[in-house]
Amino acid sequence: MSAVQPIDLPVDAETRRQLRAGEAKVEAPVKRTKRRLTSRGATIASLIIAVLWTTPTLGLFISSFRPAGLVTTTGWWTIFQNPGFTLDNYTDVLAAGNSTLNLAGSFINSLAITIPATIFPLVFASLAAYAFAWIDFRGKNWLFIGVFALQVVPIQMALVPLLSLFSRGFAIGGTQIFPGLNAGGSYAQVWIAHTIFALPLAIFLLHNFISEIPREVIEAARVDGAGQGQIFFRIVLPLTMPAIASFAIFQFLWVWNDLLVALIFADGAVAPMTKLLAEITGARGQDWNLLTAGAFISILVPLIVFFALQRFFVRGLLAGSTKG
Amino acid sequence: MSAFLAWIAQLPPLAQIPLVIIAFLIVVALILFFIEIAPRSGKLYTGIRFAVCILAPLLVFLALGSVAWAAAVAAVIGGVFFILDYRSKEGGGYLFQLVGFLAPAILLLAVGLIYPSIKTIFDSFYSGRGTYVGFNNFIWLFTQPSAVRTVINTIVWVLFVPTLSTAFGLAYAVFIDKSRGEKFFKVLVFMPMAISFVGASIIWRFVYEIRPADQPQIGLLNQLVVWFGGEPVSWLSNSPWNTFFLIVVLIWIQTGFAMVVLSAAIKGVPTEQIEAAELDGTNAWQRFVNVTVPGIRPSLVVVLTTISIASLKVFDIVRTMTAGANETSVIANEMYTQFKSFESGRSAAFAVVLFLLVLPIVIYNARQIKKQREIR
């Protein structure tokens, strides 16, 4: 809610500082009244929820700094009776790995898999969602419902057909139409797989936001001579930014934390952190102390992403485009 | 395509990220550019449209490394499409735009989800060895007590997880809205979303773990029971309650999702409406029920739907915490188990039942979509 500046006036730093001070003066009483609105009961209830939700994670956090022997014999809440502080879990987990890769390398892999696999589906989904929301064609509703229903296809079902498509290609009656990606040991397979699996939900969520844009806004642009491409790029995309940002956060988290797709498509030197952590813990998960540290290393990036994109969870969808 | 991917794969990982994204964005920019100029009239634009219709499929097929004649067929189909587009009722370029917007997503979905789904439906009528068995897989599924139990468990999951996590998320979002330290409070509840399912399972092991009564407990829940003078309980092995203790884990994870989405929706409710209700002398609860909830209804439906589907497909939590032992199995876990034991037919039958379970959710949403269209 900053002051409106219709054009960028050439203001020097001093003026800008004064403007900001003025804004703060105007907004301070507003903020005060807002604070007074929350009641005491609500505060207590939200505190209870917050405590309940953080306690299990806190336990893991404390456990990750305790020696392995203590972790398996005493509860983490007895940290004061049984003191023990060590960074061994972290150093062990960072150095751990297999012959081709250590955890630091897989951290880079996770980044290289997750960033493109977040951007690709979002762009394709917003294109499709725009068509579903603002272009009329026969059978639109049925097609849209079909796309929506695809959400329920369990990933386990699609893995095997996709894998054979990537490695062996596609043939009709003995003729090779598509020879396969030949991309084992690279990120390409993982990118494509994640993009496909994310599309149904992304299209559905973005369509909900895009179709809420007031018709007048779109019509006005059309009257001004903008084609579909311009309307999409210059009006719809900026207005749906909050939705896109919030979905981007979730997609990032899902891909970052995914184990199933990584197990099938990312092997050898391109394995992400989740896969390596699962390997380190072993099939029986006896090394609890290592996994506690590993879980915390892998939680860092998602939290940074959440903080960085927080400001996109701003006021409503259409702040500033139309009046109510 | 293969060549490009092979070249990119040699680079260091951090260099691959920007290159791939730039290449992708160039392609998307081209699509948008051609969509923009498609409906313009005049010989030049018609010529461009014709060229794109022929060349785009050709280049796509060549980039995928297909045989020359397949690319030629694709180009011919493109030509036919151009004529259809040229003759369409809405004027030239209309179909062209539509396909430009929809084709990337629809093609990917067809390859990666629609084809596997159809294949699964066929598989459910065959045995694991590939002989046709009719409805035998389904008969087995609904006569085996353990299989029926699996289906019932899945229904239990889908009844409890969406309702409870949405309720908690909504209450929390309302309580902390516009309060001091809102961001901090949000992060506290959102944190479980950022932890992988495997990590979450480990965290909850530290809550549910049981030790014999004469030793110190290391599971928090049993420690509480002991403090209150009870005997330690083996939470995850007593049916039917163990399923509920697994459900708690998914609620714990999904509440953050509900909270973040609903919080954004609450901020979208016009303040004028809230203030007007306030002037009319309503109390906070009335304002919430009569102003806020109707205002965020679409988002509520989305959140409930998304979490319902996530709980129908729940796999990792059950797999890592109990592996389906002691009657905690759910459909997705059982699918995996059957598949591993070379019973692909039974696995597919489970998948079909999953489809049927989600139908009500799909139908409800389809109705919502239709309603929205009528309003507009």
Side-chain angles (χ1 to χ4, degrees), chain A residues 10 21 23 31 67 157 169 215 221-222 264 314 317 321:
Chain A
E23 268 175 45
K31 273 189 186 145
M157 269 168 43
R215 187 170 282 276
R222 218 163 267 167
I264 308 276
V314 282
L317 200 51
S321 71

Side-chain angles (χ1 to χ4, degrees), chain A residues 15 83 92 116 153 167-168 189 192-193 205 246:
Chain A
T15 323
D92 287 354
V153 177
S167 53
R168 285 202 295 275
Q189 295 186 355
I192 297 171
L205 289 178
S246 49

Side-chain angles (χ1 to χ4, degrees), chain B residues 164-216:
Chain B
L164 288 175
S165 40
T166 309
F168 282 128
L170 178 60
Y172 194 75
V174 171
F175 291 154
I176 64 166
D177 194 40
K178 294 171 189 160
S179 70
R180 219 171 310 177
E182 181 182 352
K183 268 188 190 171
F184 173 73
F185 274 121
K186 268 191 188 169
V187 169
L188 287 186
V189 170
F190 184 79
M191 191 115 66
M193 270 295 295
I195 301 171
S196 57
F197 280 132
V198 182
S201 308
I202 291 289
I203 288 179
W204 283 85
R205 266 197 219 168
F206 277 92
V207 177
Y208 290 146
E209 184 65 16
I210 177 169
R211 287 291 147 104
D214 52 343
Q215 288 175 25

Side-chain angles (χ1 to χ4, degrees), chain A residues 6-41:
Chain A
I7 38 175
D8 269 338
L9 292 169
V11 285
D12 55 292
E14 179 59 23
T15 323
R16 202 173 296 133
R17 208 173 46 78
Q18 283 176 354
L19 275 174
R20 224 176 285 140
E23 268 175 45
K25 262 203 194 102
V26 171
E27 283 180 11
V30 179
K31 273 189 186 145
R32 259 207 305 278
T33 48
K34 277 178 183 169
R35 270 193 208 135
R36 234 178 281 139
L37 284 178
T38 36
S39 68
R40 182 166 301 161

Side-chain angles (χ1 to χ4, degrees), chain A residues 177, chain B residues 54 57-63 66-77:
Chain A
I177 301 290
Chain B
I54 301 282
L58 187 80
L59 289 176
V60 165
F61 269 77
L62 286 179
S66 78
V67 282
W69 68 259
V73 167
V76 169
I77 292 171

Side-chain angles (χ1 to χ4, degrees), chain A residues 72 136 151 177 230 291, chain B residues 36 66 94 202 211 302 313:
Chain A
T72 46
D136 282 325
Q151 277 185 70
I177 301 290
Q230 277 201 67
L291 201 73
Chain B
E36 176 66 22
S66 78
Y94 163 79
I202 291 289
R211 287 291 147 104
V302 169
K313 292 204 288 191

Side-chain angles (χ1 to χ4, degrees), chain B residues 326-355:
Chain B
N326 305 321
E327 299 186 339
T328 53
S329 191
V330 290
I331 288 183
N333 179 51
E334 209 53 34
M335 265 173 61
Y336 186 80
T337 314
Q338 296 293 343
F339 187 80
K340 278 275 173 215
S341 53
F342 303 106
E343 289 283 1
S344 60
R346 287 177 184 176
S347 171
F350 271 115
V352 172
V353 171
L354 200 56
F355 282 144

Side-chain angles (χ1 to χ4, degrees), chain A:
Chain A
M1 299 289 280
S2 64
V4 182
Q5 285 176 305
I7 38 175
D8 269 338
L9 292 169
V11 285
D12 55 292
E14 179 59 23
T15 323
R16 202 173 296 133
R17 208 173 46 78
Q18 283 176 354
L19 275 174
R20 224 176 285 140
E23 268 175 45
K25 262 203 194 102
V26 171
E27 283 180 11
V30 179
K31 273 189 186 145
R32 259 207 305 278
T33 48
K34 277 178 183 169
R35 270 193 208 135
R36 234 178 281 139
L37 284 178
T38 36
S39 68
R40 182 166 301 161
T43 314
I44 293 170
S46 51
L47 274 177
I48 291 174
I49 295 181
V51 167
L52 278 178
W53 252 250
T54 40
T55 308
T57 318
L58 180 75
L60 185 84
F61 184 64
I62 293 173
S63 300
S64 71
F65 290 109
R66 302 179 78 213
L70 284 179
V71 169
T72 46
T73 53
T74 57
W76 54 264
W77 51 92
T78 62
I79 183 93
F80 297 111
Q81 291 97 306
N82 309 307
F85 177 84
T86 170
L87 288 175
D88 285 354
N89 299 332
Y90 284 90
T91 45
D92 287 354
V93 113
L94 276 175
N98 53 30
S99 53
T100 50
L101 196 67
N102 61 8
L103 199 77
S106 71
F107 182 83
I108 304 275
N109 281 342
S110 276
L111 277 180
I113 287 172
T114 311
I115 295 173
T118 306
I119 292 174
F120 295 172
L122 272 170
V123 174
F124 282 157
S126 42
L127 282 172
Y130 172 78
F132 279 126
W134 294 106
I135 305 181
D136 282 325
F137 56 96
R138 221 180 310 152
K140 172 161 85 164
N141 282 351
W142 286 112
L143 187 61
F144 183 67
I145 288 160
V147 168
F148 171 79
L150 282 177
Q151 277 185 70
V152 79
V153 177
I155 291 183
Q156 294 94 329
M157 269 168 43
L159 291 176
V160 179
L162 260 189
L163 191 63
S164 77
L165 191 72
F166 285 155
S167 53
R168 285 202 295 275
F170 180 68
I172 297 179
T175 323
Q176 198 75 343
I177 301 290
F178 160 57
L181 272 184
N182 194 4
S186 77
Y187 301 117
Q189 295 186 355
V190 201
W191 288 333
I192 297 171
H194 275 304
T195 303
I196 290 172
F197 296 140
L199 276 174
L201 182 63
I203 292 175
F204 171 67
L205 289 178
L206 291 178
H207 167 270
N208 279 342
F209 279 87
I210 291 178
S211 61
E212 301 236 319
I213 294 173
R215 187 170 282 276
E216 297 80 20
V217 179
I218 307 277
E219 294 294 341
R222 218 163 267 167
V223 170
D224 290 345
Q228 303 274 29
Q230 277 201 67
I231 291 177
F232 172 79
F233 189 74
R234 293 170 60 174
I235 293 169
V236 172
L237 267 194
L239 285 180
T240 42
M241 226 28 185
I244 290 176
S246 49
F247 188 80
I249 292 178
F250 290 122
Q251 174 64 10
F252 188 96
L253 295 181
W254 287 325
V255 176
W256 184 270
N257 288 332
D258 153 83
L259 177 64
L260 193 60
V261 175
L263 280 176
I264 308 276
F265 292 111
D267 38 8
V270 296
M273 271 180 93
T274 43
K275 194 176 169 181
L276 215 68
L277 278 179
E279 263 176 43
I280 291 166
T281 4
R284 286 165 49 236
Q286 288 310 303
D287 292 337
W288 285 22
N289 53 321
L290 283 191
L291 201 73
T292 52
F296 265 94
I297 294 170
S298 67
I299 202 180
L300 277 178
V301 171
L303 281 187
I304 292 168
V305 168
F306 179 68
F307 277 121
L309 292 180
Q310 253 259 344
R311 59 196 184 84
F312 285 107
F313 290 129
V314 282
R315 290 186 56 85
L317 200 51
L318 298 172
S321 71
T322 52
K323 283 208 168 66

